[in-house]
Amino acid sequence: MKKDKAVKIIQAALRKGRKTLSEYEAKQVLAAYDIPVSREVLVKDKARLDAALGKIGFPLVMKGCSADIAHKTEKGLIHVDIRTVTEARKAFRDIMAGLEGFDGGALIQEMIKGRRELVMGLTRDPQFGPCVMFGLGGIFTEILRDVSFRRAPLTLRDAREMMQDIKGRKILDAVRGMEAADADTLAQMLINLGQIGLDFDSVMEIDLNPVILSGAKPVVVDALMVLAG
């Protein structure tokens, strides 16, 4: 079963005493729960870089990926809109130099294009247990704090109500030449996020930001998963 992979990833991290999963690991857990994530390859060895570039294709994004580093932007570990092999090789050298002393590699990721960004997540409340969050993403997450919450497990009705609860709900509609968001997929993503929280008591927090609408299709571009210490 696909979910067995999620069990192995989380249990392996816990055995090592880790408090977080790497972005790559977190997305593997999400994918095991049918949550759409960006196509990507983790590369730790320069010899494997060109094959990864061929698999993902240009333009692409390259990120430093380590469970020990949560804030990649501040450390200069994110390079976007890479369009040539030469640019990619330089970005890889820079990222691996920045990761010196950490266990990790470079995440070679397809560049998802879309003007609308959402946020999804899960938090474990001491009283209510796992609660799912949905709202406006990207830079607006902290500025506007336009989010809604529901306690897991979520029904389809719960998930759809969450999307309508935010003030910026019209971002999901057909607007300015952009098609309406795939509400069915968004709802199922929220339901499945709640299920991860129910299946794993050790998962304390999930932060998916941004979830980019590529046309109508939502895709998780960045993911953080915090474990019980």
Side-chain angles (χ1 to χ4, degrees):
M1 292 175 61
K2 287 197 297 183
K3 291 182 182 179
D4 291 342
K5 186 172 187 178
V7 173
K8 290 178 181 178
I9 291 169
I10 291 172
Q11 287 183 346
L14 290 171
R15 281 195 299 270
K16 294 177 181 177
R18 285 167 42 195
K19 298 279 186 72
T20 60
L21 298 183
S22 71
E23 178 181 342
Y24 182 66
E25 291 169 328
K27 286 181 178 172
Q28 287 183 307
V29 171
L30 297 172
Y33 278 78
D34 295 321
I35 294 173
V37 299
S38 51
R39 290 187 306 110
E40 54 197 32
V41 178
L42 183 63
V43 178
K44 298 183 178 182
D45 182 351
K46 180 183 176 183
R48 299 179 182 272
L49 177 61
D50 285 0
L53 298 176
K55 183 175 182 179
I56 299 301
F58 295 104
L60 57 82
V61 174
M62 198 178 301
K63 302 176 181 178
C65 183
S66 171
D68 300 317
I69 300 176
H71 301 291
K72 297 181 283 287
T73 304
E74 290 88 337
K75 296 183 180 295
L77 294 175
I78 299 181
H79 297 250
V80 301
D81 200 19
I82 296 170
R83 294 182 173 270
T84 67
V85 172
T86 300
E87 288 179 8
R89 288 174 178 168
K90 182 182 185 304
F92 182 78
R93 288 194 302 269
D94 291 346
I95 284 172
M96 295 308 289
L99 285 174
E100 190 172 356
F102 294 96
D103 180 30
L107 198 56
I108 316 299
Q109 183 183 102
E110 66 175 325
M111 188 165 165
I112 303 295
K113 297 179 180 178
R115 288 183 283 164
R116 295 174 290 178
E117 297 185 350
L118 306 170
V119 63
M120 294 183 181
L122 179 127
T123 184
R124 192 170 294 277
D125 183 86
Q127 182 177 355
F128 298 110
C131 298
V132 179
M133 180 265 288
F134 174 82
L136 296 183
I139 63 170
F140 296 112
T141 303
E142 294 184 8
I143 296 172
L144 299 180
R145 299 189 182 279
D146 187 8
V147 296
S148 60
F149 288 88
R150 288 292 187 283
R151 180 181 177 182
L154 271 65
T155 64
L156 182 59
R157 179 176 178 177
D158 291 331
R160 288 187 174 276
E161 285 179 351
M162 285 182 74
M163 291 187 278
Q164 292 302 309
D165 279 353
I166 64 171
K167 297 182 182 69
R169 57 186 173 274
K170 288 188 177 180
I171 197 173
L172 303 176
D173 298 340
V175 59
R176 293 182 177 269
M178 296 179 287
E179 55 191 311
D182 183 343
D184 291 337
T185 297
L186 285 170
Q188 196 59 53
M189 290 168 72
L190 294 170
I191 292 169
N192 294 356
L193 265 180
Q195 192 60 48
I196 294 174
L198 294 170
D199 289 347
F200 296 99
D201 290 341
S202 55
V203 173
M204 304 305 291
E205 179 184 342
I206 301 173
D207 184 20
L208 311 182
N209 189 16
V211 177
I212 294 180
L213 289 177
S214 178
K217 179 186 176 186
V219 182
V220 177
V221 173
D222 202 353
L224 173 66
M225 199 169 291
V226 178
L227 307 177

